[in-house]
Amino acid sequence: MIRKIIHIDEDKCNGCGLCAQACHEGAIEMVEGKARLTREDYCDGLGDCLPACPTGAIRFEEREAPAYDAAAVEAAKKARQTSVGQNFANETSAPLPCGCPGSQSRAIHRQTACSCEETVPAPVSQLSQWPVQIKLVPVNAPYFDGASLLIAADCTAYAYANFHQRFIRNHITLIGCPKLDQGDYAEKLTEILQHNNIKKLTIVRMEVPCCGGIERAAKIALQRSGKMIPWQVCVISTDGRILDE
């Protein structure tokens, strides 16, 4: 039958194993250091593995494939649970095949928090997704759809005291340091802008000259994307003031 199923580009795969962990059906396994769809009949076509991939190596395609076999998936889950014992019945507690669990993509939903006196609201993080580092974030993460995107030099959050409320709130946040990170951000940012419906872009940088690299990369990405996306640049001083916006 012709149906939607995932495709893994092994050339882009870095072997982190995050997609294998995200696939609750067990359709993906690590083979010789690369992620591989080993059971097409276990793939439900919902794509939980896509946002987990930090390199954008996984995509959907429509092709001839066996039908999703829910009964076989459940039987395999029970067999795995039995083999590792009751202490490991919850699959999410199993260790990653390899890689850093801190790079797994996820959305963050928050409730309003209060201080212990319950009279003055405690500060609440406005971050709505993870990861935030430009080089780690998946190109096709679902939270990019319709997003207001913030691209910020990482020092800005330390310099500007109200950074969460002023900039991160209601934005998807990407951070980086062009002086410390190897390579250019422009290519990754171009992919993000091209493959997602970004509503607007805010660039926040420090006043120091080296921080201009993140602004240049964002502007190059805007040009290469071929899209007319509203954008603005905000410059933060080293003593924590907004100099230009």
Side-chain angles (χ1 to χ4, degrees):
M1 64 180 296
I2 302 296
R3 70 180 184 94
K4 185 169 70 172
I5 196 169
I6 66 160
H7 171 79
I8 302 174
D9 186 339
E10 291 193 8
D11 291 335
K12 291 184 177 180
C13 176
N14 65 2
C16 70
L18 295 174
C19 59
Q21 184 200 27
C23 180
H24 304 298
E25 291 73 30
I28 301 174
E29 296 181 14
M30 302 305 297
V31 179
E32 297 180 350
K34 295 286 186 176
R36 187 171 298 173
L37 179 62
T38 57
R39 290 294 302 260
E40 293 184 348
D41 58 333
Y42 283 13
C43 178
D44 58 11
L46 297 179
D48 287 345
C49 54
L50 268 71
C53 179
T55 64
I58 306 177
R59 60 178 173 83
F60 282 125
E61 63 178 2
E62 288 196 6
R63 61 175 175 82
E64 183 72 31
Y68 171 61
D69 192 339
V73 169
E74 288 303 313
K77 285 183 179 180
K78 291 179 180 179
R80 288 196 297 270
Q81 290 170 359
T82 301
S83 66
V84 299
Q86 292 301 315
N87 289 336
F88 298 95
N90 185 349
E91 289 180 338
T92 60
S93 67
L96 290 175
C98 58
C100 172
S103 64
Q104 183 172 3
S105 175
R106 65 188 181 99
I108 301 172
H109 305 284
R110 303 184 184 279
Q111 296 180 346
T112 302
C114 292
S115 64
C116 57
E117 291 84 4
E118 298 186 356
T119 56
V120 180
V124 176
S125 172
Q126 297 299 315
L127 189 65
S128 61
Q129 102 287 342
W130 187 265
V132 296
Q133 225 288 340
I134 294 172
K135 291 183 176 294
L136 294 180
V137 71
V139 169
N140 53 0
Y143 45 67
F144 280 129
D145 185 36
S148 296
L149 187 62
L150 169 66
I151 300 175
D154 49 16
C155 290
T156 56
Y158 292 93
Y160 187 68
N162 200 34
F163 195 83
H164 274 248
Q165 290 293 332
R166 175 64 177 80
F167 294 111
I168 294 182
R169 186 179 183 185
N170 298 325
H171 285 76
I172 294 300
T173 302
L174 302 181
I175 66 168
C177 177
K179 188 173 183 178
L180 299 180
D181 288 340
Q182 294 182 349
D184 183 16
Y185 297 131
E187 182 177 352
K188 180 72 171 286
L189 294 175
T190 299
E191 289 187 76
I192 290 172
L193 296 180
Q194 285 179 335
H195 292 91
N196 298 282
N197 176 29
I198 304 297
K199 294 193 301 184
K200 66 176 183 178
L201 175 62
T202 301
I203 306 160
V204 184
R205 52 162 292 189
M206 297 297 296
E207 63 177 329
V208 294
C210 60
C211 213
I214 201 163
E215 179 181 346
R216 287 192 296 274
K219 289 180 177 179
I220 290 171
L222 278 167
Q223 294 173 347
R224 291 178 179 174
S225 73
K227 295 183 177 181
M228 299 295 292
I229 301 173
W231 61 277
Q232 63 173 344
V233 178
C234 182
V235 180
I236 306 295
S237 70
T238 53
D239 62 355
R241 294 174 292 116
I242 295 179
L243 297 179
D244 186 26
E245 62 177 325

